[in-house]
Amino acid sequence: MIAMIILLGVIGVEIALGILSVKKKSPLYTTKANVRLAELLIFILLVISPIIKWSFRWYGLGLILLIQAIIAVFKALKSKKLTMITKGKTIAKVALKSTLLLFMLVPALVFPQDNEIAPTGDYGVKTVTYTWTDESRDETFTKEADHRSITVQFWYPTKEKESEEKAEDKFPLVIFSHGAFGIRASNTSTYTELASHGYVVCSIDHTYHATFTKQTDGKMLLFDQGFMNEVNKLLIDEAGQMGEEKYEMTQGWLKLRTEDMTFCLNQIKSLVELPSDKDEVFSMIDLEKIGLMGHSLGGATAADLGRRGLEIKAVAVIDGTMLGEETGFENGQEQVTTEPYPVPILNFYNGESYIEIKNIEDIYPNTIASASQKDSYQIAIMNAGHMNFTDLPMVAPILAKALGTSSVNPKACMKYVNQTILEFFDGYLKGEPINLPKEEVITIK
């Protein structure tokens, strides 16, 4: 909203100056200098105030306002000769400047500010990032003889809000896996909510499955084109013609990610168990209390690792199909294991998917696994789309809508999701009372 108001304001000023120049048949050097300085001053005051939070969103506008002011003052002081003003030339200038201002404000329009969800817990939250290399695995996405590297980011409690001093305690660990083309920051509001209530949260960038991965050495790695082609092929297969090819493809994705998460967990365990000289985040982790969660394909990853044991206590699957429950492909469809799911599980579904799932619940992995586990919870948010289970609709609503959102209020949806996940992990990692419904179908306003 603030970005649109500013855009309309600055373009309005350009139009007004253009009309006045044509009417007076003058370049209005002094008037423009005063206006440009006023625009720059107002912008600085907005940045100083709570209205504009200085970030990448406003860099372009700030730069153009500064340059405009300098040029306008220079012309007012130096130019003695009046320039001939024509209507056509003035209209062209106004159109050009308006277009430039619109371009500079694109980040603020696409990524609106003030959509963050503040954590509700008593702890402050701190973050740290690591890039780890798995020497036991080759990187199959590169031509070079590289080993597989993943970048992880931790969010963990500080002693109190606005403090950098670590909290003096041991806390449960929750590991998160993003969806296809997601990023490790995709559910930051969830991580900070958990951390503020006394959790250490680790989110994994699945390199080349993530839209981008920024490593700790500054190197930026983008998604793999071959992976994108596979995903696109699957998305257009509405008639389900791929059959066994789809099964083999999705199992390949899952294998890579499960190995990433297993490596991450083992790496954390080894660092926690160091006798001394370990980073503060690893001194805070209670390895007896580990939970997993993930969105979409990341949810499948978390659920697959949960079935494999590794001392996992609970799993939250956020709008994802539990591909790891599929054991083979026969008679034209995926075969699903009947082995009981071993740990408490929380499933979220978007409305459109839930309607489809209810028609196939006897053969759908999530519903079969949930039916086999007494501590299972299934929640459908009927007016939510797939991306409403991430922070993207709050951070970049235009992009999120293109990828799949529905009519739910994005902030209200994520507040509900975060609170539910917190209650779920509180119940199974901290032993607190849990009052979640076994199955619930809701609409969030």
Side-chain angles (χ1 to χ4, degrees):
M1 179 62 74
I2 183 64
M4 184 57 69
I5 292 172
I6 290 174
L7 176 63
L8 294 174
V10 291
I11 289 179
V13 167
E14 296 306 318
I15 293 173
L17 287 173
I19 292 172
L20 191 60
S21 291
V22 171
K23 187 175 181 180
K24 292 188 173 290
K25 298 181 179 180
S26 167
L28 303 175
Y29 290 133
T30 302
T31 300
K32 286 183 178 179
N34 291 332
V35 170
R36 300 305 184 202
L37 287 171
E39 284 181 314
L40 181 60
L41 177 61
I42 292 170
F43 180 73
I44 292 171
L45 291 174
L46 289 173
V47 171
I48 295 172
S49 76
I51 296 174
I52 286 181
K53 295 179 181 178
W54 184 243
S55 69
F56 73 94
R57 298 172 178 87
W58 305 103
Y59 294 165
L61 180 63
L63 179 63
I64 194 173
L65 291 179
L66 176 62
I67 293 172
Q68 278 191 159
I70 292 172
I71 292 174
V73 170
F74 180 80
K75 284 185 175 180
L77 293 175
K78 298 295 182 180
S79 183
K80 303 297 183 183
K81 181 180 177 182
L82 293 181
T83 305
M84 180 65 67
I85 297 298
T86 65
K87 187 175 181 180
K89 187 176 180 180
T90 301
I91 291 173
K93 280 187 175 181
V94 169
L96 180 62
K97 284 192 175 182
S98 297
T99 302
L100 181 59
L101 287 165
L102 173 60
F103 179 77
M104 291 299 183
L105 271 166
V106 164
L109 293 167
V110 174
F111 303 102
Q113 66 176 34
D114 292 328
N115 271 339
E116 299 88 357
I117 298 176
T120 64
D122 294 330
Y123 293 104
V125 179
K126 198 172 178 179
T127 186
V128 64
T129 304
Y130 300 91
T131 297
W132 294 328
T133 299
D134 185 352
E135 301 290 346
S136 69
R137 288 191 293 158
D138 292 330
E139 181 54 84
T140 59
F141 290 102
T142 61
K143 295 179 180 179
E144 298 81 10
D146 297 330
H147 291 297
R148 175 81 173 161
S149 290
I150 62 168
T151 299
V152 300
Q153 187 167 355
F154 289 85
W155 287 258
Y156 59 98
T158 61
K159 201 166 187 178
E160 56 190 19
K161 292 182 183 293
E162 309 303 327
S163 169
E164 288 293 307
E165 186 178 354
K166 77 181 184 72
E168 295 296 333
D169 209 340
K170 295 281 188 179
F171 301 99
L173 170 69
V174 177
I175 304 178
F176 179 88
S177 172
H178 62 73
F181 305 112
I183 55 174
R184 63 178 184 263
S186 69
N187 286 58
T188 297
S189 69
T190 312
Y191 320 147
T192 56
E193 178 68 3
L194 287 173
S196 76
H197 284 272
Y199 288 85
V200 175
V201 182
C202 173
S203 182
I204 305 169
D205 258 342
H206 294 283
T207 317
Y208 300 109
H209 273 202
T211 298
F212 62 86
T213 297
K214 186 176 181 181
Q215 299 185 151
T216 51
D217 62 2
K219 187 176 181 180
M220 187 75 75
L221 302 174
L222 301 180
F223 64 87
D224 177 68
Q225 186 61 51
F227 175 60
M228 170 168 273
N229 293 340
E230 289 181 345
V231 172
N232 287 337
K233 186 176 181 180
L234 187 62
L235 291 175
I236 64 175
D237 184 40
E238 296 181 1
Q241 298 298 310
M242 290 182 67
E244 189 167 4
E245 182 184 356
K246 171 191 171 184
Y247 170 76
E248 296 293 343
M249 184 186 297
T250 54
Q251 290 301 310
W253 300 343
L254 184 63
K255 181 177 182 295
L256 174 78
R257 287 162 159 265
T258 300
E259 289 175 350
D260 282 351
M261 189 175 261
T262 301
F263 166 68
C264 175
L265 180 56
N266 289 337
Q267 187 78 354
I268 292 171
K269 286 180 177 179
S270 67
L271 292 168
V272 170
E273 291 167 353
L274 285 175
S276 61
D277 296 327
K278 53 190 169 191
D279 291 355
E280 65 179 14
V281 65
F282 303 112
S283 68
M284 303 170 67
I285 295 173
D286 184 350
L287 291 177
E288 299 298 316
K289 300 174 181 178
I290 301 175
L292 306 175
M293 61 178 177
H295 173 248
S296 192
L297 185 54
T301 306
D304 189 36
L305 208 64
R307 178 170 280 286
R308 295 167 185 261
L310 301 177
E311 301 173 343
I312 306 303
K313 304 297 184 186
V315 173
V317 179
I318 308 170
D319 207 29
T321 298
M322 294 169 60
L323 299 171
E325 299 298 287
E326 297 174 355
T327 58
F329 190 88
E330 296 177 12
N331 303 320
Q333 68 180 33
E334 294 86 352
Q335 302 301 301
V336 180
T337 183
T338 56
E339 287 291 320
Y341 194 76
V343 298
I345 188 163
L346 168 65
N347 268 290
F348 285 102
Y349 306 104
N350 71 70
E352 184 177 348
S353 293
Y354 184 72
I355 293 170
E356 296 176 359
I357 289 166
K358 291 303 287 183
N359 293 324
I360 57 170
E361 60 183 348
D362 291 340
I363 60 173
Y364 188 64
N366 300 48
T367 49
I368 293 174
S370 294
S372 73
Q373 168 56 244
K374 65 181 181 64
D375 292 319
S376 68
Y377 308 88
Q378 299 191 83
I379 299 174
I381 304 177
M382 298 308 290
N383 59 335
H386 188 56
M387 299 311 298
N388 286 121
F389 293 93
T390 72
D391 291 345
L392 189 63
M394 297 181 291
V395 176
I398 297 173
L399 176 59
K401 187 173 182 180
L403 294 174
T405 59
S406 192
S407 61
V408 70
N409 179 288
K411 217 169 188 178
C413 184
M414 282 308 296
K415 282 184 177 180
Y416 175 82
V417 169
N418 295 346
Q419 185 58 43
T420 304
I421 289 174
L422 174 63
E423 183 174 350
F424 175 70
F425 284 130
D426 277 351
Y428 294 103
L429 299 184
K430 293 186 175 182
E432 296 182 8
I434 185 165
N435 298 306
L436 295 176
K438 290 294 183 178
E439 186 167 356
E440 186 173 40
V441 179
I442 62 171
T443 299
I444 298 176
K445 296 182 179 179

